[in-house]
Amino acid sequence: MLLVHGFASDGHTDWITTGWPAALTAAGREVLVPDLPAHGSSPAPSGSLGATAITAELAALVAGLSEVDVVGYSLGARLSWELPAQAPVRRLVLAGVSPFEPFGAVDIAAALAFADGGKAPSDPLTGMIAHMITTPGRNPAALARCIEDLRGEPFAPVAGAISVPT
């Protein structure tokens, strides 16, 4: 089973601390809990941090498996939506997925200005994202680049596009 965390988080925070891997392994499941690129202990690559690049990394992670169940939360759900086209996904659980591109309305310059010690953005969405990317241990510049790359590949889910039980 592959557990994919949300934006500006990491596998430890979203999954391990909540007990999911322990419960799943106790039930006899093998569990993978990666950190997405530029998140947690995973460095920011010099290349793209868009959905295509990140799902390719997730697909490579499970490439040797005959099949995998995937649970994705928030950004992890958005990426997991696209994973069956690239990996041997048997079934999906998607939680907290937006029905549209959530990063399109984020003022990245305002979020980065806040990260550099400026005032909190007045826009509530940008303010929320600014606080997320400046949580201790996060890399604001890399996460802002991730936002830019993700909105460059807008999420536009279409009913019936997923061919596995979801």
Side-chain angles (χ1 to χ4, degrees):
M1 178 161 287
L2 175 65
L3 303 177
V4 188
H5 66 80
F7 177 73
S9 191
D10 55 73
H12 186 267
T13 301
D14 279 6
W15 301 113
I16 294 171
T17 62
T18 58
W20 284 94
L24 291 165
T25 55
R29 304 293 305 263
E30 291 185 34
V31 180
L32 298 170
V33 184
D35 283 340
L36 295 173
H39 292 75
S41 63
S42 180
S46 58
S48 175
L49 285 168
T52 300
I54 297 173
T55 55
E57 287 199 27
L58 292 171
L61 180 65
V62 299
L65 304 175
S66 61
E67 63 184 10
V68 62
D69 294 333
V70 180
V71 178
Y73 173 70
S74 189
L75 173 58
R78 180 247 174 109
L79 298 169
S80 297
W81 175 279
E82 300 177 27
L83 198 54
Q86 300 178 41
V89 175
R90 179 173 68 147
R91 58 187 166 201
L92 291 170
V93 175
L94 305 176
V97 66
S98 175
F100 57 87
E101 177 52 56
F103 294 119
V106 175
D107 181 343
I108 296 171
L112 285 173
F114 175 75
D116 286 336
K119 66 178 184 152
S122 58
D123 167 56
L125 175 62
T126 300
M128 178 185 73
I129 295 295
H131 285 286
M132 290 171 72
I133 70 173
T134 57
T135 298
R138 305 293 185 242
N139 181 336
L143 291 172
R145 187 165 58 89
C146 185
I147 292 170
E148 288 176 337
D149 290 353
L150 287 166
R151 71 183 182 185
E153 299 176 41
F155 183 55
V158 176
I162 297 177
S163 60
V164 299
T166 304

